[in-house]
Amino acid sequence: MKKLNLTHWIKISLFSLFVVAFLGVLMRYKIAFELPFLAQKNIQHAHSHFAFAGWVTQLLMVLMVRYLSLYTSESIISKYNILFRINIIGAYIMLISFIIQGYGFVSILFSTLSIFVFVWFAILFYKDAKEIPSSSWSKKWFLAALYFGVLSSIGTFALAYMMATKNVPQDLYLSSIYFYLHFQYNGWFWFACTGLFVSLIPADLKNTKENKTVFQLFAWSCIPAYLLSVLWLKLPAWVYALAVISAVIQLIAWFKLVKLSFTIFKLNPRIAGFLKILFIGIAFCVTLKLVLQFGSVFPAISKLAFGFRPIVIAYLHLVLLAIISGFLLAYLYTNDLVYRTSKTVFFLVLFIVGIFLNELILALQGIFSIKYVLIPYANELLFIVSIILFTGIFGMVYFNRKKV
């Protein structure tokens, strides 16, 4: 069986991020200027679906298998080649079909296929993870991530059922979308990334108690935290209280994880210089995200969060771009899985600057939109920022192409 080339799959994942950034440029250009032969909705669907399947999920699977390879044989690891190949080919077909037809037969077919590929991965990894010592906390985070990832598919199948029956109640439709997004963002993505981060802890560090507490708090609060996404529904008082409690628990768990992180920074020599600054920046974004999440339990703030599109877009980009994508890039550089030269570092910094500017402008747009005030040339500025993001990832892809 062909040997698994992790570097090859990491390169492909980075190229997928490049494609995501290119679609972002197209969308921003179309908003600021004109691009009549492309439907904005189609590009938007292609952008979001491909970011999930072709970039984040693909790379998380690759990095989790890399961790698994530390404990098992090459023959077991090599079988993941076909799974990675099917996932990425399906993601690109889905990308093209969304651009051409929007939600149509082909795009829905391959969106569904991506779910079954993930379930296949979850089953394989769960079986093979028995080779990983039970003392590994990364293993626990990974298995929880897979559980929440599979759980998120319920939202997708609920949407498919509504579309097939042509019975689409607005509340149920939105609840299903938020169900999927919550268990992707706060389940699959978050738990897998945290598992990777925990793997950076030196093996001789006695941190079992701290890890156990943090893991349990996040794991038990993840399901009720979904309620924070549907506070606009008329929820009973006890359900509302459950949402508030989950938000508080996640804040407590996060600050415990931050405390643990200081130990990681001190004892892991690979996290130094600009990488330490990058991790601190990501930690700030996570803190902001969890504080905003807690703030959403107050009706006035919740109304603002769900009622203004720029705020929603800013929040989604904060999670997927600043936190998840930022962490994945930081992890790749920390473990020397990409070239770590002055050129690649420069383009990484450029990409991070683009993320910051993107969030800043979107946040300002959201704040001003509350007063129904338009920011002059905001769309043009966001287009320029999208070019900065695109240039950053282009440079990383270009100067990393010869790494073997």
Side-chain angles (χ1 to χ4, degrees), residues 10 20 32 87 121 169-170 177 182 188 192 203 212 256 263 300 352 365 367 402:
I10 289 170
V20 172
N87 185 71
F121 172 77
Q170 184 69 5
I177 291 176
H182 170 74
W188 160 231
K212 182 178 181 179
K256 285 184 176 292
T263 307
I352 299 303
Q365 255 193 328
I367 294 169
K402 292 182 180 179

Side-chain angles (χ1 to χ4, degrees), residues 230-243:
V230 291
L231 291 174
W232 40 271
L233 293 173
K234 294 180 179 179
L235 301 174
W238 70 271
V239 177
Y240 182 83
L242 197 59

Side-chain angles (χ1 to χ4, degrees), residues 292-348:
L292 291 172
Q293 181 178 280
F294 174 73
S296 69
V297 304
F298 300 98
I301 298 176
S302 180
K303 184 177 179 181
L304 293 177
F306 291 108
F308 292 89
R309 182 176 172 79
I311 295 177
V312 174
I313 295 174
Y315 180 81
L316 293 176
H317 279 84
L318 175 69
V319 178
L320 189 62
L321 193 57
I323 297 173
I324 303 301
S325 296
F327 170 79
L328 288 174
L329 291 172
Y331 184 86
L332 292 177
Y333 276 79
T334 298
N335 289 279
D336 295 319
L337 297 173
V338 292
Y339 272 137
R340 195 164 155 178
T341 66
S342 58
K343 289 180 180 178
T344 60
V345 170
F346 169 79
F347 284 105
L348 172 61

Side-chain angles (χ1 to χ4, degrees), residues 60-96:
L60 283 175
M61 292 193 301
V62 169
L63 294 177
M64 284 170 62
V65 171
R66 174 181 176 270
Y67 182 82
L68 177 64
S69 69
L70 301 175
Y71 301 96
T72 191
S73 65
E74 182 63 42
S75 60
I76 291 177
I77 294 299
S78 60
K79 66 187 176 187
Y80 287 92
N81 269 311
I82 187 170
L83 189 148
F84 293 156
R85 195 173 295 119
I86 292 174
N87 185 71
I88 199 65
I89 291 173
Y92 273 94
I93 294 174
M94 180 176 63
L95 166 75
I96 296 168

